[in-house]
Amino acid sequence: MSGRRLFRMYQDVLRRRPYLVQAVQTSVLMAAGDVIAQTGIEKIPLTSLDISRTIRFSSIGFFVIGPTFRVWYGILAKYVGSGGSPTVTIKKVLMDQLLFAPFILFVLLALIATLKGKNLQEVKEELRLNYKDVLLTSYTIWPWVQICNFYLVPLQYQVLLVQTIALFWNTYLSWKTQRKRDMMEKKVSELK
């Protein structure tokens, strides 16, 4: 099957089922980011992967991140505009980075902690440890990505572009949220 034919099939399914397609692609890319974090950064052998961690991360992509991004980009297109003018692009980027990014990162980090089985106090502690660093790091990457995305990419492909770039971002998030937990567990074991 040729790449062109595969892309046409993707476009057809995307047109018919935009939320489902974007939920699935986000889920797959978040799972891939977690696997890369575990094997490439944390040096965990493939045979020792924490599959439940990957499933948690992937589930957040499927049920929350993919659909939420699709709705958000639709809202931006409807209320700010869908043309690729510099003014529309800057407005979208500002709204995305000042309103949506802080919100979605908070939700994502809270969900990761909650799905790890953390209680409310532990979720608050993980947010205290990670939120500011993650948000500041996001501001070094995402405004530039979103300028290109909103200026050059048609609405139906914006989530795909963001989630493709997010493969690297998801790798970072997976590592970052796991690293803090590992450091806290090490401190607790040293105190015993």
Side-chain angles (χ1 to χ4, degrees):
M1 181 176 296
S2 74
R4 183 173 289 174
R5 182 172 171 176
L6 193 59
F7 185 67
R8 276 187 295 209
M9 286 174 51
Y10 169 78
Q11 286 178 309
D12 183 51
V13 174
L14 179 61
R15 189 177 80 282
R16 287 185 286 123
R17 301 269 205 194
Y19 291 96
L20 178 62
V21 169
Q22 292 173 344
V24 169
Q25 73 193 18
T26 303
S27 177
V28 168
L29 290 167
M30 287 185 74
D34 181 67
V35 170
I36 292 167
Q38 288 188 57
T39 59
I41 297 172
E42 298 166 33
K43 305 297 183 204
I44 296 170
L46 204 51
T47 56
S48 299
L49 282 180
D50 183 346
I51 299 299
S52 62
R53 171 179 148 181
T54 303
I55 291 170
R56 284 191 305 266
F57 211 61
S58 178
S59 296
I60 292 169
F62 184 84
F63 292 107
V64 179
I65 303 300
T68 303
F69 270 69
R70 177 66 176 104
V71 169
W72 174 243
Y73 290 163
I75 289 169
L76 287 176
K78 182 176 180 179
Y79 293 105
V80 180
S82 58
S85 78
T87 303
V88 168
T89 299
I90 295 302
K91 285 179 183 177
K92 283 182 173 183
V93 171
L94 287 173
M95 289 181 70
D96 186 68
Q97 295 302 298
L98 298 176
L99 300 175
F100 188 68
F103 165 76
I104 200 67
L105 287 174
F106 179 87
V107 168
L108 178 62
L109 294 173
L111 280 171
I112 290 169
T114 301
L115 290 176
K116 286 184 201 174
K118 303 291 182 184
N119 64 38
L120 183 59
Q121 192 58 38
E122 291 168 323
V123 170
K124 287 179 182 178
E125 181 62 16
E126 289 218 7
L127 285 167
R128 188 189 68 73
L129 289 171
N130 288 321
Y131 182 75
K132 183 179 176 184
D133 286 346
V134 170
L135 183 62
L136 291 175
T137 301
S138 81
Y139 286 147
T140 66
I141 299 165
W142 290 108
W144 309 108
V145 170
Q146 292 296 45
I147 287 170
C148 293
N149 196 30
F150 294 138
Y151 192 68
L152 301 171
V153 179
L155 175 61
Q156 69 267 28
Y157 303 120
Q158 287 177 356
V159 174
L160 177 60
L161 173 74
V162 165
Q163 289 305 322
T164 301
I165 302 296
L167 176 61
F168 304 102
W169 177 249
N170 295 335
T171 301
Y172 161 76
L173 283 177
S174 178
W175 167 78
K176 177 83 170 166
T177 57
Q178 192 66 28
R179 185 176 69 99
K180 294 288 186 182
R181 188 193 77 158
D182 292 346
M183 289 170 53
M184 289 185 337
E185 287 175 358
K186 184 178 178 185
K187 285 181 184 179
V188 168
S189 68
E190 287 174 354
L191 294 174
K192 291 181 179 179

